[in-house]
Amino acid sequence: MIEILLMPFALKALLASSLISVICAWSGIFVTIKRMAYFSESISHSSLAGIAIALWIGFDPSIFLVFFSALMAGLIALVAQSSITSRDSVIGIIHATVMSAGIILLSFLRGGNTDIARYLFGDVLAVTNTDLYLCAALFIFASAYLAVFSKTHTLTSLTPELAKLNGINVKKYDFTLMILLALIISVSVKIAGAILVTALLIIPPNAAKNISLSYNSFVRLSIISGLLCSISGVLASIFFDFPTGPAIVLVNAIFYFLSLFMRNILKIAI
Amino acid sequence: MNIEVKDVSCKIGEVEILKDINFSLKSGSFSAIVGPNGAGKSTLIKIMLGLLKQDCSTGKILYDGIKVEEVNKSRHWLGYVPQNYSFDRSLPITLDEFYKITCALKDGDKYDEILNSLNLLKLKKHIMGGLSGGEIQRALIAYNLFHNKRVLFLDEPTSAIDIEGEALVYSILNNLNKVDKINIIIISHDIDAVLKSVDTVICLNKTIHCVGGACDILEGNMIQQFFEGHRGLYKHHGGCIHHHD
């Protein structure tokens, strides 16, 4: 039974999901503070259109998605900043437009159903070397970015007006965060699937928030729980033959409800 | 720091929020902007802070002759305590962590000294979401002090706190003004409290109705005339304190 974990597909799956879960849980801190869950959901759902285009033109969907998602985030930021429409509405409009285009495009594709199902629900057990390199590159880039700019993003999230008075370009930082999230989502789609990837961004920080008594513990617990839940999900998937994405999300959800229970037991009152 | 507000007007669509605002404030002044609801007080201080420039306003704001845009870009002299500091109160962040994340703190002794002067030292390890309105106001004043601000704007600093808390806030502001020589500009509806502390009053209702020394304005009955149509806001006064240069 244990030998199966030493097989290349299992090692790749564990490594890829670990890298992705750490970055998702870390960046998810800002998704939670800045209430960007809807944005993340839209980018992940819209990735279906990106996959459809990639399959249509015969390009590797994993690589194509990175550019497509960044473009989507840029488009949302551009329209939101240059119109009087609220950001939520802009996200809704662009989300619906791109999804519709993607669904129409998918209806023309034949024989691509297996690939589509993989991207819809995630299939970390089918991670390729290209996917693994993408995960590693994303992990290095996103970790470096978050290590350097975490404080600035926390400042712009907590006190945007006061940040402006300290010479910080809040709009620029909001834009770079949106692009970063889009890149993270585009790479994570292969692990958890377009439908479920937002869960990796929002469940670990919100579970950690329930039982943390300081910001430091909030960040650490979010990353650790994201990582452990992801590894547990992959193991459950390997040993019990569950679909991987949903297995990872369910373990995260169990931890979230457990944290909610602990919050009530410990009577954490904030 | 000398502050000049020159020809400031602000329109949102066809609605005129402020019209032809001109005044200047001396270095080290403690000023109050008073006026009824909807007079444009909060808009004016946001324009003075350079936070609304692109949206609605024309005119110039100068700090020691330097434009507000330049001040915000490279000098960061301006501090602000908003009326309603809205943040996610469920976020587990202690006051200590908030300062360590948002301020470049270097001098540990000064850190504790400032927190102590604002009655915040014992709250250092408390979660910010659990602090009262008055404690949040003082926490934001401390935030501005850690950034060595030279001008501090406060929008209704005592609106959400009790009388005891109000006295503490005014005593802190007086101290910052007199000892640290920080220019202070507040918006307040509480004329009595304002007149006891400030040396300059600006009466605003879309345009400037009066600017001058607190006592001159009060004793010349200007403020009574200004609030004639808003009697609910101005009922009585306990006199003013003459400020001498």
Side-chain angles (χ1 to χ4, degrees):
Chain A
M1 200 71 169
I2 297 298
E3 294 80 49
I4 198 168
L5 292 178
L6 298 172
M7 293 177 80
F9 85 92
L11 288 173
K12 275 185 200 172
L14 283 168
L15 186 58
S17 58
S18 300
L19 295 173
I20 289 302
S21 60
V22 166
I23 286 306
C24 281
W26 194 355
S27 58
I29 295 283
F30 300 107
V31 175
T32 305
I33 303 178
K34 292 180 90 85
R35 296 189 167 95
M36 293 173 79
Y38 184 41
F39 167 81
S40 309
E41 191 84 358
S42 299
I43 294 287
S44 61
H45 288 182
S46 304
S47 64
L48 284 178
I51 295 159
I53 296 170
L55 293 173
W56 183 266
I57 60 175
F59 205 85
D60 184 336
S62 301
I63 296 170
F64 186 79
L65 260 190
V66 174
F67 298 100
F68 183 80
S69 300
L71 193 71
M72 274 284 300
L75 188 64
I76 289 171
L78 190 73
V79 177
Q81 286 178 10
S82 59
S83 75
I84 56 160
T85 315
S86 70
R87 181 182 282 193
D88 258 16
S89 302
V90 168
I91 293 170
I93 293 164
I94 293 177
H95 176 198
T97 310
V98 176
M99 276 287 281
S100 305
I103 291 165
I104 289 172
L105 204 52
L106 282 173
S107 71
F108 290 118
L109 291 172
R110 289 179 187 187
N113 288 346
T114 315
D115 275 346
I116 289 298
R118 276 182 183 169
Y119 283 101
L120 264 178
F121 304 109
D123 190 1
V124 73
L125 302 182
V127 158
T128 62
N129 283 340
T130 309
D131 295 325
L132 200 56
Y133 295 144
L134 270 177
C135 290
L138 176 81
F139 180 82
I140 293 166
F141 171 74
S143 301
Y145 179 87
L146 289 170
V148 175
F149 295 109
S150 257
K151 278 191 173 187
T152 314
H153 280 298
T154 309
L155 173 63
T156 60
S157 307
L158 292 173
T159 61
E161 283 183 328
L162 302 185
K164 275 184 203 167
L165 295 176
N166 286 332
I168 294 169
N169 188 335
V170 177
K171 278 187 180 173
K172 188 182 88 183
Y173 279 97
D174 280 353
F175 179 74
T176 53
L177 182 64
M178 286 166 86
I179 297 289
L180 180 77
L181 288 173
L183 295 179
I184 291 170
I185 290 165
S186 67
V187 178
S188 310
V189 158
K190 194 68 184 281
I191 311 296
I195 306 286
L196 299 171
V197 68
T198 311
L200 299 186
L201 288 162
I202 58 174
I203 297 181
N206 280 290
K209 196 173 159 187
N210 281 338
I211 46 175
S212 299
L213 289 172
S214 71
Y215 192 75
N216 267 338
S217 61
F218 170 44
V219 176
R220 284 179 196 156
L221 197 57
S222 174
I223 294 171
I224 292 168
S225 71
L227 177 64
L228 294 180
C229 291
S230 189
I231 291 172
S232 313
V234 174
L235 292 178
S237 171
I238 291 171
F239 291 123
F240 303 109
D241 200 22
F242 293 158
T244 323
I248 294 173
V249 173
L250 274 182
V251 178
N252 269 292
I254 290 168
F255 181 64
Y256 172 78
F257 287 108
L258 199 64
S259 72
L260 211 55
F261 177 70
M262 283 165 71
R263 183 183 175 82
N264 288 322
I265 293 291
L266 298 172
K267 298 199 188 309
I268 298 171
I270 52 158
Chain B
M1 178 170 296
N2 293 305
I3 303 168
E4 288 171 86
V5 176
K6 286 184 175 177
D7 305 321
V8 166
S9 295
C10 170
K11 256 184 166 185
I12 296 179
E14 287 306 305
V15 181
E16 202 152 53
I17 311 291
L18 294 168
K19 193 181 173 192
D20 299 330
I21 308 292
N22 284 284
F23 63 87
S24 55
L25 300 171
K26 283 182 193 163
S27 180
S29 59
F30 188 158
S31 318
I33 301 172
V34 298
N37 284 332
K41 303 183 296 292
S42 296
T43 305
L44 177 59
I45 66 167
K46 284 198 173 177
I47 290 170
M48 290 177 76
L49 283 159
L51 294 173
L52 270 184
K53 183 71 184 171
Q54 289 163 345
D55 299 329
C56 80
S57 74
T58 57
K60 259 193 236 173
I61 312 289
L62 302 170
Y63 293 89
D64 274 351
I66 299 166
K67 283 184 180 176
V68 66
E69 295 82 6
E70 182 56 33
V71 168
N72 283 344
K73 207 171 163 186
S74 56
R75 290 173 168 82
H76 317 150
W77 290 334
L78 312 181
Y80 178 41
V81 178
Q83 183 180 5
N84 297 309
Y85 174 56
S86 61
F87 67 106
D88 180 359
R89 283 192 173 260
S90 68
L91 187 70
I93 183 167
T94 64
L95 200 53
D96 196 36
E97 286 178 310
F98 174 71
Y99 293 133
K100 283 178 180 157
I101 289 169
T102 59
C103 313
L105 299 166
K106 284 172 192 157
D107 189 342
D109 292 331
K110 197 182 168 194
Y111 175 63
D112 279 355
E113 192 184 307
I114 288 175
L115 289 184
N116 197 30
S117 71
L118 291 163
N119 262 9
L120 290 170
L121 199 55
K122 61 181 185 302
L123 301 175
K124 209 161 84 164
K125 300 290 175 195
H126 285 221
I127 299 287
M128 276 185 80
L131 301 182
S132 69
E135 287 162 348
I136 290 285
Q137 292 280 359
R138 298 201 313 269
L140 291 178
I141 292 173
Y143 167 92
N144 285 294
L145 295 182
F146 293 135
H147 284 280
N148 296 314
K149 301 296 186 183
R150 293 173 61 187
V151 184
L152 186 57
F153 290 83
L154 299 101
D155 192 346
E156 302 269 7
T158 55
S159 62
I161 52 182
D162 57 21
I163 294 170
E164 200 181 319
E166 182 180 305
L168 179 63
V169 167
Y170 276 108
S171 120
I172 288 163
L173 294 179
N174 268 314
N175 200 44
L176 292 177
N177 179 246
K178 300 285 175 292
V179 179
D180 299 322
K181 308 290 176 206
I182 295 174
N183 282 50
I184 293 176
I185 299 161
I186 64 168
I187 287 178
S188 182
H189 277 124
D190 187 348
I191 308 297
D192 276 351
V194 160
L195 292 175
K196 279 177 197 158
S197 300
V198 306
D199 51 55
T200 310
V201 172
I202 298 154
C203 316
L204 179 79
N205 193 0
K206 299 193 188 296
T207 59
I208 296 286
H209 286 254
C210 54
V211 181
C215 293
D216 300 337
I217 284 179
L218 186 69
E219 285 160 7
N221 286 334
M222 275 189 269
I223 207 151
Q224 286 89 336
Q225 285 165 22
F226 174 62
F227 278 107
E228 194 64 27
H230 309 278
R231 287 189 181 278
L233 294 175
Y234 183 74
K235 290 172 184 158
H236 64 281
H237 67 83
C240 68
I241 294 167
H242 286 267
H243 296 266
H244 300 286
D245 292 333

